[in-house]
Amino acid sequence: MASPAAPHTARRKRGNGLTAPGRPLASLRHRDFRFLLVSTMALQIGSWVQTIGQGWLVKVDLGGSATDLAAVALLRGAFLVLLSPFGGYLAGRYERRRQLMVYTTGSATIAAALALLVWSGRIEIWMVYFFAATAGIVEALAGPIRSLLVFDTAGADEMTNAVALNALGGNAMRVIGPAIGGALIGLIGTEGTFTAQAICLILAVALTSRLRPSMPAVLAEKIGVFGSVASGLAYVVRDRRMALIVTMAILPSVLVYPYVTFLPVFAIDVLKSDEKAYGYLAAAVGLGSLLGGGIVAVTSNRERIGPGMMWACFFYCGAVGLFSLTRDLWLAVAVLAVAGIFHSIYSAFNASLMQMKAAPEYRSRVVALQTMTWGLTPFAGLLMGRMIDVWGAPHVVGGWMVVAAAATLVITVTSRELRRI
């Protein structure tokens, strides 16, 4: 029997103006995608407010080091790596909307508990570690579902456009969230950021409940979770094109993304500023990502996106490297905004290729691998944090960006498969 989410064409309307097929807002003519988009925006603003609060809590309120910041992120990432295959397995077999509502409710509960502990003055560093691990478990299960719902609600024809608009909404919240987080820390205290996150997550649950039930269009074969993971990995290994797409998801996750964890270090130790500067730096990447997402949305009907993905990743590495050399706050903000443009283009193209080029029966498993790559960032971040404690943030981050840019350039020049897609 066909799943409720399968007949995209039956629900599709031609649309007018900017929502017509091939236009910048084409995917917005799908009702369920609109609800998913606003739900994601609520989730993202809560996440970024919490990120600012957690970084400030560890670095300032609890007197932590760069290694402590990395350790908190590592605990979250470890569970992303370990449990994302289970999330992909469940997403491929059971109704997705209900699962996502349960997981998002769990995230709201975690945020509320953190807020209560900070309000009461009983928070300790080990508690932050515990809640980071718990949040990683929930995100590992929810991440593949949220990614697959983009495909479910918009369909294959507008996947790139939907990913771009989804990223655009998330990046808008990335601008607003850090600014709100910095303001809440100054006005109320760190506890205000976790309270705001809980409220945003409750809103995300309410919006997710408006989606139609969504089951996989292609039913998974009757194998267990470990067999499912093994077959997914085997598929990626034997399909050279998909292996390259996954490699390009892993490379920035390991070599580039860890720098975000240490923005409090740059704000306080390098730029000699305060929590407002931290909020500006975090928001700058999101501000640039808005423009980058707009570029992707406008050009989403292009035939080949592989070359754009590769070069955007290369220039993203270069921009972050330039940021590491900057000592003026507003110049640093401007450089990170440029980095955000290239990051948004790269990530939207990579996420689109992950789902569009995967065989339908392996799509949920490939998306689970994508969520696993997010979890690799804190592992690399732990090493980066230890190096920063010894040699300082500018030298370490700059060196890592040189390596990342060089690796990306080699793959760009040598991989004909990626240049053709």
Side-chain angles (χ1 to χ4, degrees), residues 289-353:
S289 296
L290 285 174
L291 179 57
I295 293 171
V296 175
V298 170
T299 62
S300 60
N301 60 345
R302 62 194 299 174
E303 292 184 3
R304 294 188 302 160
I305 62 177
M309 175 188 70
M310 303 298 296
W311 287 112
C313 185
F314 174 77
F315 288 115
Y316 174 45
C317 299
V320 176
L322 183 60
F323 160 74
S324 71
L325 302 175
T326 305
R327 298 297 179 270
D328 178 80
L329 173 61
W330 296 113
L331 180 58
V333 168
V335 172
L336 281 184
V338 173
I341 294 174
F342 292 116
H343 169 261
S344 182
I345 295 171
Y346 152 76
S347 60
F349 285 166
N350 183 259
S352 297
L353 290 172

Side-chain angles (χ1 to χ4, degrees), residues 347-401:
S347 60
F349 285 166
N350 183 259
S352 297
L353 290 172
M354 279 273 195
Q355 296 204 49
M356 291 192 303
K357 302 304 178 182
E361 63 271 25
Y362 290 104
R363 186 172 293 121
S364 64
R365 280 165 274 186
V366 170
V367 169
L369 290 177
Q370 182 185 33
T371 306
M372 287 178 68
T373 66
W374 303 340
L376 295 175
T377 299
F379 288 89
L382 184 62
L383 175 60
M384 182 181 281
R386 293 301 298 269
M387 293 174 69
I388 286 173
D389 285 338
V390 176
W391 292 297
H395 295 94
V396 174
V397 172
W400 282 49
M401 294 312 110

Side-chain angles (χ1 to χ4, degrees), residues 130-153:
F130 171 78
F131 283 111
T134 308
I137 293 172
V138 175
E139 187 174 350
L141 299 175
I145 295 174
R146 193 167 286 277
S147 296
L148 287 166
L149 282 173
V150 175
F151 186 91
D152 290 345
T153 56

Side-chain angles (χ1 to χ4, degrees), residues 238 247-248:
R238 68 174 178 265
T247 298
M248 283 309 303

Side-chain angles (χ1 to χ4, degrees), residues 36-46 146 166 168-170 172-173:
L36 179 67
L37 176 62
V38 181
S39 170
T40 300
M41 291 171 67
L43 178 75
Q44 287 290 332
I45 193 170
R146 193 167 286 277
N166 202 51
L168 196 63
M173 301 304 100

